[in-house]
Amino acid sequence: MKTSVSSIEGQPTANPLVVEVTRGGMVESRHRAAVAVVDAGGTVVASWGDIERPVYGRSAIKPLQALPLVESGAADAFGLGPAEIALACASHSGEPRHVEAVTAWLPRIGCSVADLECGSHLPYHTASAEALIRAGTAPTAAYNNCSGKHAGFLTTARHLGEPTQGYIRYEHSVQQRILGLLEQMAGLDLGDAPRGIDGCGIPVIGIPLGNTAMAMARLADPDRLPPARAAAARRILAAMAAEPFMVAGTGRFCTAVMEVTGAAVALKTGAEGVYAAALPTLGLGVALKVDDGAGRAAEVAMGCVLRHLKLLSADQERALAEQLAPPVRNRVGLETGRIRPSAGCPICSG
Amino acid sequence: MKTSVSSIEGQPTANPLVVEVTRGGMVESRHRAAVAVVDAGGTVVASWGDIERPVYGRSAIKPLQALPLVESGAADAFGLGPAEIALACASHSGEPRHVEAVTAWLPRIGCSVADLECGSHLPYHTASAEALIRAGTAPTAAYNNCSGKHAGFLTTARHLGEPTQGYIRYEHSVQQRILGLLEQMAGLDLGDAPRGIDGCGIPVIGIPLGNTAMAMARLADPDRLPPARAAAARRILAAMAAEPFMVAGTGRFCTAVMEVTGAAVALKTGAEGVYAAALPTLGLGVALKVDDGAGRAAEVAMGCVLRHLKLLSADQERALAEQLAPPVRNRVGLETGRIRPSAGCPICSG
């Protein structure tokens, strides 16, 4: 066979391969990613790939978006506990505990599910989704994986006497407050940053991965933040550590890892292959983006970072074996491959 | 911020970026792929990326795997029509027409759904899946997207007097016959090729993309094949053209494109970002693999190839606009981005 492979001109340099998916005797698929590990002062402790390119943090930055809820005094005014604060940081699976907690929270601020502007979708948790379908009940907005974040937005607006309607809009004070907070935490002017609309309707802002990691580091090591913000950061990480189930759900990577690592790792996934972490014991933040948007690779890549930073003991690695290199199974349950760090993964070997 | 980007040593050269996913003012995710367009004699007419690396054809090569069903005389012996032959090439959505046709086919060969060894899963088609859940009925193996292929395997085994049990095993004559056929069509000795197990339990064989494209070209331009195989190739492509719904289902890329292009394009998707096409009017075969395994990118990349080969008229492009560059929508249905050929996509610009 005669071949002529075209060259690749005018295309951006490729980020490194960090995750591979095997099947039988071969690697079947490959995922590239950029990763930034940064401290609260902005020093890049480690990085792989292009960490200057703007990335939408999506749901991975929910712990940052939850800061005003606590910092404003809204959480205390309405008596929110760790479960609600964890839900404000969550992409939850729509299991009964998640939905019931959000549904019980809204009346306490004089709102109802009808005030949530996130839209609805079936729960990520299969059994919960099937229970709804069997009952012939359409999911309300409380089932949206972002309903806790939205309840947090409504709570802040209520506390500060702002209108609740339209709280998802870029121009609304709830979103403008978060924009200002992201500028301070990420150390950037975001007035001209690329922006778009998230799956749940709120603005997304393009921020270089290194700056997102710095913002997460400032959550993890908040000593140089203004006192109210520092206190809010500590309380948010404590809530995530206390309620890892509320942050995600049954069988989810965020929940599984935080259940094992406790307060050493606050972990948050986002759509399109984004993952972020705040690491209080090291005073570091992590942000990563899988080029192609695959969540399966973002999880394994985050596992590589946690190992690289020696945050997992041998026992913890064993307990998380199915999360760090998940099996691929076929329709009869047979293991046909693995999602795992790539051969020569620069994070693992670095 | 001080950064130090690690270099990428010892990693394979990246395939070209061909598909990007936008959100608002920015590209959010990027997909790389290798693509081969080859004729029946093995001349590479066009290629992008590494087409020498072995790739599992997965379900994209079902039209090749269906050849023995027709070539052996089994299809005629059991009176199969275009609907059944198209189903033998299908990754169907488990809609009632698909499931009913497979369920009616099996007794004609003295088998039942219990003889299918593919395992089961809920239909890809949401309304069909929800109907099953509401009824409290677990999906049988007839609902598996591969059930038509498996019914074809059973039909061939029955016709040739082979045992039906274990027909999915590498050593079974049904699979060995396909292995020999793939060697002839792809022009390769596959005895030492990498192999694994597919989602439905049958063997997958690693074949370079260029050779898979040549095998598809030999379906499209079968004149130099032995007469019985050539006749089978023509009948399989005619069945796919006549029954595009049976090959996939409502809203699916394969079905939508074949409904518009008719007999000019026989199209077949596979898991992990594989796509193949046989193009009778051009006498060409196409095989592509998205590096990361994303089906959303494989579809758009196949659209790029069809445009590159001038197989779509302006009217057809308009009719397929939502398939060629699908919108990304959020939870309330708002369009937040697009999946589209990348800026500088080498297929589109080549």
Side-chain angles (χ1 to χ4, degrees), chain A residues 247-260:
Chain A
V247 177
T250 303
R252 297 271 303 279
F253 188 88
C254 286
T255 298
V257 172
M258 291 194 290
E259 280 176 351
V260 163

Side-chain angles (χ1 to χ4, degrees), chain A residues 172-196:
Chain A
H172 191 283
S173 50
V174 162
Q175 301 305 332
Q176 285 293 308
R177 188 177 299 114
I178 288 170
L179 184 67
L181 180 146
L182 289 176
E183 288 189 330
Q184 186 262 322
M185 296 292 277
L188 276 181
D189 180 347
L190 296 173
D192 294 325
R195 62 185 226 241

Side-chain angles (χ1 to χ4, degrees), chain A residues 2-4 6 11 17 23 25 28-30 44 47 52 56 195 197 199 272 289 291 296 331, chain B residues 2-4 6 11 17 23 25 28-30 44 47 52 56 195 197 199 272 289 291 296 331:
Chain A
K2 299 139 268 179
T3 79
S4 72
S6 313
Q11 295 207 335
L17 286 172
R23 179 174 297 270
E28 183 165 31
S29 294
R30 294 167 172 83
V44 178
S47 78
E52 307 284 342
Y56 295 135
R195 62 185 226 241
I197 297 172
E272 291 293 333
K289 167 79 170 92
D291 293 10
R296 68 181 182 182
R331 301 299 187 180
Chain B
K2 298 140 269 176
T3 78
S4 72
S6 312
Q11 294 207 334
L17 286 172
R23 180 172 297 270
E28 183 165 32
S29 294
R30 293 166 173 83
V44 178
S47 78
E52 308 284 343
Y56 294 134
R195 62 186 226 241
I197 296 171
E272 290 292 333
K289 166 79 170 91
D291 292 10
R296 66 179 183 182
R331 301 299 188 181

